[in-house]
Amino acid sequence: MSLVKELAKKAKGASRILAGLSTAAKNEALEAVAKQLLADQHSILHGNQLDLQNGQQAGLSPALLDRLALNESRLKDMVEGLRQVAELPDPVGEVIETWTRPNGLSIDKVRVPMGVVGMVYEARPNVTVDTFALCLKAGSAVLLRGSATALNSNRALVASIKKGLAKTAVPVDVIQFVDSEDRKDVDEMLRLNGLLDLVIPRGGAGLIRRVVETATVPVIETGVGNCHIYVDQAADPTMALQILLNAKCQRYGVCNAAESLLVHQALAPSWLPTALAELQAQGVEVRGCRSVLELVPGLTAASEEDWATEFLAPIISVKIVANLEEALQHIQTYGSGHSESIITEDGETAEKFLRQVDAAAVYHNASTRFTDGFQYGFGAEIGISTQKLHARGPMGLRELTSYKYVVRGTGQVRS
Amino acid sequence: MSLVKELAKKAKGASRILAGLSTAAKNEALEAVAKQLLADQHSILHGNQLDLQNGQQAGLSPALLDRLALNESRLKDMVEGLRQVAELPDPVGEVIETWTRPNGLSIDKVRVPMGVVGMVYEARPNVTVDTFALCLKAGSAVLLRGSATALNSNRALVASIKKGLAKTAVPVDVIQFVDSEDRKDVDEMLRLNGLLDLVIPRGGAGLIRRVVETATVPVIETGVGNCHIYVDQAADPTMALQILLNAKCQRYGVCNAAESLLVHQALAPSWLPTALAELQAQGVEVRGCRSVLELVPGLTAASEEDWATEFLAPIISVKIVANLEEALQHIQTYGSGHSESIITEDGETAEKFLRQVDAAAVYHNASTRFTDGFQYGFGAEIGISTQKLHARGPMGLRELTSYKYVVRGTGQVRS
């Protein structure tokens, strides 16, 4: 049996024990792991140092090296995260619905763990700890495959987690780590039907595409966000500017940042020049449609490709539209179904936008940056789904579960 | 652009219009199609005759020919089905949850259509009409690919449906039919990411495997049911026999029929010989474990493969187990996660079984044959999911929908 299959089998076996454990037992395990991570700080930071040295030699960008880096404070944040997950309500066992049929059969729809969750991810080692914690609380085992650049960090983290679990009722096999740099192992992992119940990719567009194309196990596609802010003619100009600046500039490299601005032609002459000047003052490069270039000379022209691009950088594409219809049409053509916002004081226009835009999250007079499990009050987040199957938008603990039907009878047979 | 992609694009465009239509408009379309199918009876039955002739020449089994055959009465059943779907509540637009965040953002989780649903299916032409009706009511367009053996029947049905829709507010493009016998078209269909939101395969294990292995769009795996009846030592013997006969013999070729019987060793000597004699009297072949063969001489021995097989035929595998644990272990090893039933008067044992068996539906003192959308009161069924992602067990209208978050603010930005 191959390495990956063996790991998955171990995870599957452990998931069955985990599914039967109490909330208290799971929380105790999270606390034991929290303590162990703090106790193992030295070996974890040592592993991370190796990765950082390798990364520097391999010429990783300063931004990537920063994402990779661990220190005492970041480790404390991870531990804090574990404790927060322990405090969240346990989704497992919840009776979602209950009803009785005319023949007397009583049916309960009960929330149950997913089983074994696979995660394929890049760079940040905190994903290792977060994923483990969320899946554990949701009653599922995990099979983790991080990137080669974080191999030593992840190895040290997983070793510490297992050491912590060894002192608890939760089997150490609930966390499995593909300790290899071979891409073939990922491909094999993605085809473990019957052993893996779900795979979630977290990383750049390339990684996600490869997972979607290779996997035969169910996948939840996450992350790509080409988000728009549509400033309607009836927008409050000050609010529109504040939301635009927040959605574009608060953080550049995140999926819920705005990448494109659409402005109603009636408001553009009075509002757009100031708004674009503010963006430029914050270091944002503006790429405009022809009408924008006429209004504000000296800007770069937006290409067809720009409209479809998630820049994840201080760049924004800007288009003046004739009306709501043109804005809807543009979002339909170029949007990625992540987060879309309309700024307007006209309630009817807002409702039309909220109803017609097909995205995981649609906003009226608010920043797209709110699409996030913590901001929604889920207490945690394992990713943001951009597909329609199973879960859409921020995924918390509940979105990591499945359900089953529990049917109680008194001898009923089908006629 | 290829044929299949063109069809999917048309469906996608139409799905956007359909998503905005009222319940009344959708119900009127269902009624118009019902009338049209009756009016087109002659051409539909003519198409079906062609398929039956081709099938006979190709040597299809009588069972398959029967599944393929349409007549006046079966057509009336289809039309009745359309009218029943019209009477079901519309899932689209339902506010599933609503809450307000401390910053004043109001969040609604709203049920929305899936978009475009692909269906790859075998034999029975009624699936064409059923799928269209359920998806229409759930607000989604469909891209259908039936089997080559039903090509003329499906062609006539789809033509009639389009004719009916032409008189209504629902665009005719909400139903698209891959009118080809080329398997490459299916493969292409299964990779239309961005156009197809979901594919559901309905048919034999081979078809389902091929779809799961080929698809890059999200799939819901359906149908394979290696279902067990576990008769505990504390079972009511009469009830146990009635449930066993119903689960095994009421219909052989369905996924929720029992394929395996497990009996507690304490009850086996008194109960099993009579039970097996009853099965044999109904023409069922019994394949037993060594202990069963000792108890009832002259039976065939069950092979390792038999335990894992969904016979879909008058055959049953039978095993005597030492206790509940051995039954649970056997179901875990060989079950397909579809439907599993325990027969016992001991409430504690029953609850342990219901909790520990990992299947879409678990039963206490009832037949596995109840795993069905109509039997659960969903009013309809598009298939029975055997995966854990999105939906598990019988899938009705709600299971054909997704959701989105509608967030209303007053200028909130993220700090």
Side-chain angles (χ1 to χ4, degrees):
Chain A
M1 198 185 301
S2 71
L3 165 77
V4 176
K5 196 167 180 184
E6 208 169 301
L7 299 178
K9 280 211 160 184
K10 279 188 193 168
K12 184 95 180 173
S15 77
R16 297 209 167 98
I17 298 166
L18 177 58
L21 292 181
S22 68
T23 305
K26 293 190 283 190
N27 289 345
E28 279 159 28
L30 288 169
E31 179 56 32
V33 169
K35 287 205 178 98
Q36 192 67 49
L37 286 175
L38 289 176
D40 292 337
Q41 179 175 312
H42 182 72
S43 64
I44 294 167
L45 295 186
H46 177 71
N48 188 246
Q49 275 303 317
L50 288 179
D51 286 335
L52 287 172
Q53 284 161 20
N54 293 341
Q56 270 157 348
Q57 279 168 19
L60 287 193
S61 70
L64 272 182
L65 286 171
D66 178 60
R67 281 161 62 91
L68 180 56
L70 290 179
N71 53 40
E72 215 171 306
S73 139
R74 287 188 175 181
L75 199 66
K76 274 204 183 113
D77 287 346
M78 283 187 202
V79 166
E80 183 49 35
L82 282 172
R83 287 172 172 153
Q84 282 171 6
V85 171
E87 276 166 29
L88 292 175
D90 188 339
V92 176
E94 182 199 340
V95 179
I96 305 166
E97 279 179 84
T98 180
W99 69 101
T100 304
R101 298 290 301 152
N103 62 5
L105 281 182
S106 123
I107 306 183
D108 286 351
K109 185 176 178 180
V110 180
R111 207 177 284 288
V112 298
M114 195 60 84
V116 182
V117 176
M119 176 73 93
V120 180
Y121 55 106
E122 284 170 342
R124 286 192 294 166
N126 67 309
V127 174
T128 307
V129 178
D130 288 357
T131 305
F132 156 74
L134 289 169
C135 288
L136 176 77
K137 187 71 185 250
S140 283
V142 285
L143 178 59
L144 302 172
R145 173 46 147 86
S147 75
T149 50
L151 191 62
N152 294 291
S153 313
N154 287 334
R155 191 182 281 159
L157 287 167
V158 172
S160 177
I161 291 171
K162 281 184 175 283
K163 225 160 110 189
L165 289 179
K167 302 167 185 168
T168 75
V170 172
V172 295
D173 280 337
V174 297
I175 179 166
Q176 298 295 336
F177 176 61
V178 183
D179 193 343
S180 121
E181 302 186 40
D182 194 341
R183 282 201 163 194
K184 274 190 214 147
D185 287 329
V186 184
D187 292 349
E188 198 196 335
M189 174 177 164
L190 297 174
R191 296 174 166 275
L192 289 175
N193 296 65
L195 289 174
L196 273 195
D197 295 287
L198 167 64
V199 165
I200 305 174
R202 273 184 74 173
L207 172 81
I208 291 165
R209 201 178 321 115
R210 200 161 65 87
V211 169
V212 168
E213 278 171 9
T214 311
T216 54
V217 300
V219 173
I220 291 190
E221 207 173 331
T222 63
V224 176
N226 184 21
C227 307
H228 299 75
I229 302 285
Y230 169 53
V231 179
D232 183 50
Q233 68 182 125
D236 173 328
T238 311
M239 185 197 289
L241 183 58
Q242 280 165 352
I243 289 175
L244 170 67
L245 292 176
N246 184 259
K248 181 65 232 176
C249 308
Q250 200 234 359
R251 269 181 82 185
Y252 294 116
V254 289
C255 60
N256 53 18
E259 305 291 8
S260 207
L261 168 66
L262 307 175
V263 186
H264 192 287
Q265 59 179 1
L267 191 74
S270 67
W271 183 80
L272 197 55
T274 323
L276 298 189
E278 285 273 2
L279 283 171
Q280 288 175 311
Q282 301 219 16
V284 175
E285 179 193 336
V286 176
R287 301 185 184 171
C289 71
R290 188 179 300 206
S291 307
V292 170
L293 268 54
E294 279 169 14
L295 193 65
V296 184
L299 297 173
T300 315
S303 67
E304 175 67 19
E305 206 192 327
D306 283 332
W307 302 121
T309 298
E310 182 190 27
F311 297 113
L312 297 171
I315 307 171
I316 192 167
S317 60
V318 182
K319 186 180 170 71
I320 295 174
V321 295
N323 48 35
L324 175 68
E325 282 313 314
E326 195 185 344
L328 292 172
Q329 192 58 49
H330 183 94
I331 291 171
Q332 200 172 95
T333 308
Y334 298 105
S336 60
H338 193 294
S339 302
E340 310 291 352
S341 183
I342 183 171
I343 319 301
T344 186
E345 297 299 303
D346 178 340
E348 215 172 294
T349 305
E351 290 307 314
K352 206 168 171 191
F353 180 94
L354 295 174
R355 208 168 46 242
Q356 291 198 18
V357 171
D358 185 18
V362 286
Y363 292 87
H364 174 211
N365 288 347
S367 171
T368 54
R369 290 279 292 115
F370 285 109
T371 304
D372 173 291
F374 293 93
Q375 295 295 328
Y376 277 23
F378 297 168
E381 176 187 291
I382 197 150
I384 295 176
S385 164
T386 51
Q387 71 182 35
K388 292 194 192 169
L389 200 74
H390 186 73
R392 207 173 184 197
M395 294 177 62
L397 283 178
R398 270 200 308 188
E399 287 71 25
L400 274 172
T401 63
S402 181
Y403 57 81
K404 72 176 172 189
Y405 292 103
V406 177
V407 185
R408 295 179 176 90
T410 51
Q412 282 85 345
V413 297
R414 190 161 162 188
S415 53
Chain B
M1 197 186 301
S2 71
L3 165 76
V4 176
K5 197 167 181 185
E6 208 170 302
L7 298 179
K9 281 212 158 180
K10 279 188 194 167
K12 183 95 179 175
S15 77
R16 296 208 167 100
I17 298 166
L18 177 58
L21 292 182
S22 68
T23 306
K26 293 189 283 189
N27 289 346
E28 279 159 26
L30 288 168
E31 179 56 32
V33 169
K35 287 205 178 99
Q36 193 66 48
L37 286 174
L38 289 176
D40 292 337
Q41 179 174 312
H42 182 75
S43 64
I44 293 167
L45 295 186
H46 177 72
N48 188 244
Q49 275 303 319
L50 288 178
D51 286 335
L52 287 172
Q53 284 162 18
N54 293 340
Q56 271 159 345
Q57 279 169 18
L60 287 192
S61 70
L64 273 181
L65 286 171
D66 179 59
R67 281 161 62 92
L68 180 57
L70 290 178
N71 53 38
E72 215 170 306
S73 139
R74 286 188 176 180
L75 199 67
K76 274 205 181 113
D77 287 347
M78 284 187 201
V79 166
E80 183 48 35
L82 282 172
R83 287 173 172 154
Q84 282 171 6
V85 171
E87 276 166 28
L88 293 175
D90 188 341
V92 175
E94 182 200 340
V95 179
I96 304 166
E97 280 179 83
T98 181
W99 69 100
T100 303
R101 297 291 301 151
N103 61 6
L105 281 182
S106 124
I107 306 182
D108 286 351
K109 184 176 179 180
V110 180
R111 206 177 285 289
V112 298
M114 194 60 83
V116 182
V117 176
M119 175 73 90
V120 181
Y121 56 107
E122 284 170 342
R124 287 194 292 167
N126 68 307
V127 174
T128 307
V129 178
D130 288 358
T131 305
F132 155 75
L134 290 169
C135 289
L136 176 77
K137 186 72 184 246
S140 284
V142 286
L143 179 59
L144 303 172
R145 174 45 148 90
S147 76
T149 50
L151 191 62
N152 294 291
S153 312
N154 288 334
R155 192 183 281 159
L157 287 167
V158 171
S160 178
I161 291 171
K162 281 185 176 280
K163 224 159 111 190
L165 289 178
K167 301 166 184 167
T168 74
V170 171
V172 295
D173 279 339
V174 298
I175 179 165
Q176 298 295 336
F177 176 60
V178 182
D179 193 343
S180 119
E181 302 186 40
D182 194 342
R183 282 201 162 194
K184 273 190 214 147
D185 287 330
V186 184
D187 292 351
E188 200 196 336
M189 174 178 164
L190 297 174
R191 294 173 169 275
L192 288 175
N193 295 65
L195 288 174
L196 272 195
D197 295 287
L198 167 64
V199 165
I200 305 175
R202 273 184 76 174
L207 172 80
I208 291 166
R209 201 179 319 115
R210 199 160 67 86
V211 169
V212 167
E213 279 171 9
T214 311
T216 54
V217 299
V219 173
I220 293 190
E221 207 173 331
T222 63
V224 176
N226 184 21
C227 308
H228 299 74
I229 302 285
Y230 169 53
V231 179
D232 183 51
Q233 66 182 126
D236 173 328
T238 311
M239 185 196 289
L241 183 59
Q242 280 165 351
I243 289 175
L244 169 67
L245 292 176
N246 184 258
K248 181 65 233 177
C249 308
Q250 199 235 0
R251 268 181 82 184
Y252 294 116
V254 290
C255 60
N256 53 18
E259 305 290 8
S260 208
L261 167 66
L262 308 175
V263 185
H264 193 288
Q265 59 180 2
L267 191 73
S270 66
W271 182 80
L272 197 54
T274 323
L276 298 189
E278 285 273 2
L279 284 171
Q280 288 175 310
Q282 301 218 14
V284 176
E285 180 193 336
V286 176
R287 301 184 184 172
C289 71
R290 188 178 302 206
S291 307
V292 170
L293 268 54
E294 281 168 14
L295 194 65
V296 184
L299 297 172
T300 315
S303 68
E304 174 66 18
E305 205 193 327
D306 283 332
W307 302 121
T309 298
E310 184 191 25
F311 298 112
L312 297 172
I315 307 171
I316 193 167
S317 60
V318 183
K319 186 181 169 74
I320 295 174
V321 295
N323 47 36
L324 175 69
E325 282 314 314
E326 195 184 344
L328 292 171
Q329 191 58 50
H330 183 93
I331 291 171
Q332 199 171 97
T333 308
Y334 298 106
S336 61
H338 194 294
S339 303
E340 310 291 352
S341 182
I342 182 172
I343 319 302
T344 186
E345 295 300 303
D346 178 339
E348 214 171 294
T349 305
E351 289 307 315
K352 207 168 170 189
F353 181 93
L354 296 173
R355 207 167 46 242
Q356 291 197 18
V357 171
D358 185 18
V362 286
Y363 292 88
H364 174 210
N365 288 349
S367 170
T368 55
R369 289 279 291 117
F370 285 111
T371 305
D372 173 289
F374 294 92
Q375 296 295 327
Y376 277 23
F378 297 169
E381 177 187 293
I382 198 151
I384 295 176
S385 163
T386 50
Q387 70 181 36
K388 292 194 191 167
L389 200 73
H390 187 72
R392 206 173 185 200
M395 295 177 62
L397 285 178
R398 269 202 307 191
E399 287 71 26
L400 274 172
T401 63
S402 181
Y403 58 80
K404 72 176 172 188
Y405 292 103
V406 176
V407 186
R408 294 178 176 92
T410 50
Q412 282 85 347
V413 296
R414 192 161 162 187
S415 52

